[in-house]
Amino acid sequence: MTTVSVNEIALGIESFGADDAPLVLLVGGTTMLSWPDALCERLAAGGRRVVRYDLRDSGESTTADPEAPAYTLRDLAADAAALADALGAAPAHLAGIGVGGMVAQVAALDHTGAFSALTLVGTRAVAPGPPDDDLPDHDRATMGRLFARPMPDWTDRAEVAEFAATGAEVLGDDPVAAHAIAARIWDRTPGTAAPVQLANQLGMVFSRLDCAPRWRERLPEIGVPALVVHGRRDPFFPVGNGAAIAREIPRARLLVLEEAATAIPDAAVGEVAEAMLALGRGTAGATVRGGASRPSHG
């Protein structure tokens, strides 16, 4: 892992694969560890240079004030374009997961020359807050259980990891994997102050960003090959959000992982990697199909 300076800030990055291979740039949601190691390795084995990175105020990237960020969604999109250029590999295949998928959509719209393909995982086409009337909102029962839990002692690594595991169980993700990832995130977080830990573990800083103006109505302007991946069982951004994106981006392919929730489970890595590699080869097409991937519980 290292950092790259763009737009007067540092972005923490990790690279897989050969430096001269076509670039797949993975936007963290919000930290780079939201992208599974196994997926990065499969993409690299498929002949890609894979770079995953932390958004501002998370991981190894510049941390300022997560409670009052002085940047906007547009700034994060500009970071993605600047990073692709700094890596000397534009145009790049850009991929975003969760809130990183919002960054990726805006980046593809605002920086058209920087990207050659777009993958959007478990995201939606409107900013944090109430969705459009035709988009399904967070599952209320799940959110009630999720936010009823008391916050952990952020100075206690084990307590933070257990908090992540119980949250994953509520969401339908693998609690064992979530526990391990949360511990790694804790180790990479610059300090144990609650706002900084919240930004890293829960991505709460993103809800405080200025995300105007809207971009959903511009999705038909995206002219690069696009893949939309969504878990059928996602209660946070229900699958109708991904389906809407796929309808509105011309010729986009929708890949539904039938047994997945918010995270990419180990059992789905191969299918997602192959779909992303096919997109880079220009062979993904507009087929809408459902995956049969099942989450790992080991």
Side-chain angles (χ1 to χ4, degrees):
M1 296 187 185
T2 187
T3 59
V4 174
S5 294
V6 300
N7 297 336
E8 301 183 345
I9 53 100
L11 295 179
I13 71 166
E14 183 176 20
S15 299
F16 301 76
D19 287 346
D20 59 351
L23 176 64
V24 179
L25 185 62
L26 305 178
V27 185
T30 57
T31 84
M32 66 171 69
L33 295 182
S34 51
W35 290 102
D37 297 352
L39 177 63
C40 297
E41 292 161 359
R42 289 288 288 267
L43 292 171
R48 302 295 186 271
R49 178 189 183 189
V50 179
V51 174
R52 61 182 178 182
Y53 76 96
D54 302 309
L55 295 183
R56 302 188 193 196
D57 281 316
S58 67
E60 299 296 327
S61 294
T62 296
T63 293
D65 184 359
E67 291 187 299
Y71 51 89
T72 70
L73 175 60
R74 261 65 193 180
D75 292 320
L76 296 180
D79 289 348
L83 180 56
D85 184 62
L87 294 170
H93 178 162
L94 180 66
I97 186 168
V99 293
M102 299 176 189
V103 175
Q105 291 171 69
V106 174
L109 287 164
D110 288 359
H111 304 275
T112 54
F115 307 110
S116 58
L118 181 65
T119 294
L120 303 169
V121 182
T123 191
R124 68 183 187 184
V126 293
D132 293 346
D133 289 344
D134 65 321
L135 298 179
D137 202 355
H138 311 307
D139 179 77
R140 289 186 178 182
T142 302
M143 295 304 103
R145 292 173 58 202
L146 192 65
F147 292 105
R149 299 171 303 146
M151 289 291 178
D153 175 0
W154 294 111
T155 67
D156 188 324
R157 181 178 185 269
E159 193 171 323
V160 170
E162 183 59 27
F163 178 78
T166 60
E169 195 165 18
V170 170
L171 290 168
D173 292 322
D174 181 355
V176 175
H179 188 284
I181 292 169
R184 291 172 65 189
I185 291 173
W186 195 94
D187 290 339
R188 299 179 67 241
T189 298
T192 56
V196 178
Q197 283 286 351
L198 279 167
N200 280 262
Q201 295 286 345
L202 302 181
M204 295 299 289
V205 63
F206 203 89
S207 65
R208 301 184 175 98
L209 291 188
D210 176 0
C211 294
R214 285 172 56 92
W215 70 90
R216 183 183 180 187
E217 291 75 15
R218 295 181 59 203
L219 290 180
E221 299 173 19
I222 293 178
V224 298
L227 170 70
V228 180
V229 181
H230 218 103
R232 177 74 72 187
R233 298 185 177 184
D234 187 343
F236 195 80
F237 292 143
V239 67
N241 290 279
I245 294 173
R247 286 193 304 269
E248 292 167 25
I249 296 177
R251 297 173 298 284
R253 175 188 174 188
L254 175 63
L255 173 60
V256 177
L257 305 176
E258 294 293 340
E259 301 298 328
T262 70
I264 301 174
D266 289 346
V269 161
E271 187 173 16
V272 174
E274 181 52 39
M276 292 179 69
L277 291 169
L279 189 71
R281 294 191 293 266
T283 59
T287 304
V288 177
R289 58 185 293 264
S293 304
R294 295 184 179 274
S296 168
H297 295 288

